[in-house]
Amino acid sequence: MPSGKRGRFPVGTPVLDAARQLGVYVESVCGGRATCGRCQVSVQEGNFAKHKIVSSLDHISPKGPKEERYERVRGLPEGRRLSCSATVQGDLVIDVPQDTVINAQTIRKAASDRVIERNAAVQMCYVEVDEPDMHKPLGDLDRLKAMLAKDWGWKDLLVAPHLVPQVQKILRKENWAVTAAIHRDMESSRPFIIALYPGLKNEAYGIACDIGSTTIAMHLVSLLSGRIVASAGAPNPQIRFGEDVMSRVSYVMMNPDGQGAMTKAVRDAVNDLIGKVCTESGVDRHDIFDCVFVANPIMHHLFLGIDPTELGQAPFALAVSGSMQFWAHEIGIEVSPGARLYTLPCIAGHVGADAAGATLSEGPYRQDRMMLLVDVGTNAEIVLGNRARVVAASSPTGPAFEGAEISSGQRAAPGAIERVRIDPDTLEPKYRVIGVDKWSDEDGFEEASWATGVTGICGSAIIEVVAEMYLCGIISEDGVVDGSLAARTPRIVTNGRTFSYLLREGRAGEPRITVTQNDIRAIQLAKAALYAGIKLLMEKQGVTEVDTIRFAGAFGSFIDPKYAMVLGLIPDCALDEVKAVGNAAGTGALMALLNREHRREIEREVSKIEKIETALEPGFQQLFIDAMALPNKVDPFPKLSAAVKLPPRKTVSEDGVAADATPRRRSREGHAARRARD
């Protein structure tokens, strides 16, 4: 972890060797002599249901003389081991600490360049307070309030409790001139003095943070100018407890201290990111006065310290669905002692505050056209609607799109294949690798890729390679690899009773990268779950097509719309109407941070959104079955067909034997008529 790579190794294999065989980058400068200390790892203990293993410190070798010498001379942080010396003795979940990683996961959640009208919840107010007068026995704090009312119009002010003992000292430090930070978006509806500074202070900051299942993205923003002063991202450390949200709920169920461990992990990660953006921008973290967070329901609950167990079983009950406000320090966020924390409302059990943020950002309810908003992740969130009506659903797509459950899959990091093209005549592939500017068929690619290696295939390329295999006839509409093509190209290789497509042979020390029949099935299952959820919402809206599609989320930003449609991930639509909108959830958080009216807007709109529970819909199963085909068994794709030459349909049996090609079927009605004739 956090790359999610896994494998089997003989007892006694050094952990460093196992990592390298899996394509996981662990630095070692000393060549395994246990002198540099760069190869540190830690063992995660517990019952990891998703992996069907129990990881224990008893399953790694005791410290040997080299490791003991290093610890004695240089010191090892608690819980760390040197992977060059420690060996595998049983089932293990190994965490590669991010402070030791150079080629860490690429966090692709960039800041928005949207212009947001500023109406922040925090206002900085400079006043010069009257000195004490024996003839007017009014307290220092009361005279401060009176001056804030006179100069700024603030009435009925409350004061953050931590400030009361400090007021007199602060007032006298700069001869009764002070700057008060006023927060005007409190649940009490009365404004609060949340901070007080001697003299003039012309700085106030806020953070907008999106806690995703895989990554956490944060923007540090000037509340006075609206400028994003720094942005940063990091892997969500909860990945070590489970790659998707349901596996994390399972971890909580099976481990008594699981919820506390995951809550601490995500809060620590948030605090580390705050430190990172503050260091990058030269901002004091105690000058952060407002925080806005979005997250999916399970991340939301764990961040707030709420047991997410009820979300793991029907009826998927949220502990709280409305927006929430706290003093940030109450949940351990290390910012100004008076800072406030706001979370956007959740839409439903598995459609969270992140979907609410994306909805606020893209605003389907603000337009007449029918907009489909999709956040593709381990749990896809779908919103469909216009100003007349908005409906929402979630689809359990699982982690296949992010590289898990794929034989050569990995997360987006240097060395991962991110783009794939296959020549329809020769069936030879070419690909792009993260961290390398050249395509694989260009001169100098091999030399340029030595630094990163070619270690696996990430989500955007998984979609592209399966779609390309379909367009080239390597797989049938049902996703079966055509074994007869092995006579035509060595790229089709046998894999037991099925066939695989060889994408890259791999140099010495690098993995062999193939796309197996099981990989294709995993992608089909994931895309069918998403498409069936979308079709269900379309039926609820009474529409057969959508006007515009928006891909939200970090992963969505790197999906090519054409290949997503060829795969049948999304319904037919004009390709120029399919756009990636980046981290729309984070943009929604940014909007709520910079303009408190956006908080009221999304609270109002979320109360109107209709949540559709796909598991309870009788038609979902048939929609899912139809969606297993590429792009779909019954739905026509006329707009896609006008832009891309789709192959004739052919049937390939599970053992890879192809049958004769038949014309494409165009409609559900035609499909039913043919079955009736048969």
Side-chain angles (χ1 to χ4, degrees), residues 15 32-35 37 39-43 60-77 79-87:
V15 174
R33 297 182 178 84
T35 58
C39 66
Q40 295 178 26
V41 297
S42 59
V43 174
I60 195 167
S61 61
K63 291 176 183 174
K66 290 183 179 179
E67 206 170 2
E68 288 177 339
R69 185 186 68 241
Y70 180 90
E71 185 174 32
R72 187 171 61 252
V73 176
R74 304 273 300 274
L76 266 177
R80 295 279 181 90
R81 297 294 304 272
L82 297 182
S83 63
C84 64
S85 296
T87 61

Side-chain angles (χ1 to χ4, degrees), residues 305-480:
I306 301 170
D307 187 337
T309 301
E310 291 299 326
L311 288 167
Q313 56 202 359
F316 312 112
L318 290 156
V320 58
S321 55
S323 61
M324 298 291 290
Q325 289 196 32
F326 300 88
W327 297 104
H329 69 81
E330 288 179 333
I331 58 173
I333 304 304
E334 298 167 7
V335 286
S336 168
R340 296 291 291 176
L341 186 149
Y342 173 86
T343 65
L344 269 67
C346 292
I347 296 174
H350 283 291
V351 187
D354 53 350
T359 303
L360 174 62
S361 171
E362 298 310 307
Y365 56 86
R366 295 192 289 262
Q367 59 180 291
D368 294 321
R369 305 178 79 202
M370 186 61 66
M371 174 187 282
L372 172 64
L373 176 61
V374 184
D375 189 339
V376 184
T378 52
N379 181 65
E381 293 166 312
I382 315 162
V383 177
L384 177 69
N386 55 21
R387 69 175 75 252
R389 183 189 183 201
V390 179
V391 293
S394 64
S395 276
T397 52
F401 288 136
E402 296 184 347
E405 300 180 354
I406 304 298
S407 60
S408 297
Q410 68 167 88
R411 301 195 185 279
I417 295 173
E418 62 172 344
R419 291 279 178 261
V420 178
R421 300 291 181 268
I422 300 176
D423 186 290
D425 298 319
T426 65
L427 304 185
E428 284 296 303
K430 66 176 183 177
Y431 41 84
R432 285 281 298 270
V433 172
I434 297 175
V436 181
D437 293 332
K438 298 176 180 293
W439 282 83
S440 61
D441 62 341
E442 294 182 86
D443 291 340
F445 170 82
E446 291 297 329
E447 293 78 7
S449 64
W450 272 113
T452 62
V454 183
T455 55
I457 182 167
C458 71
S460 59
I462 290 166
I463 288 175
E464 290 190 6
V465 73
V466 175
E468 282 276 313
M469 289 169 71
Y470 171 63
L471 291 175
C472 294
I474 296 172
I475 59 176
S476 66
E477 65 166 38
D478 294 322
V480 180

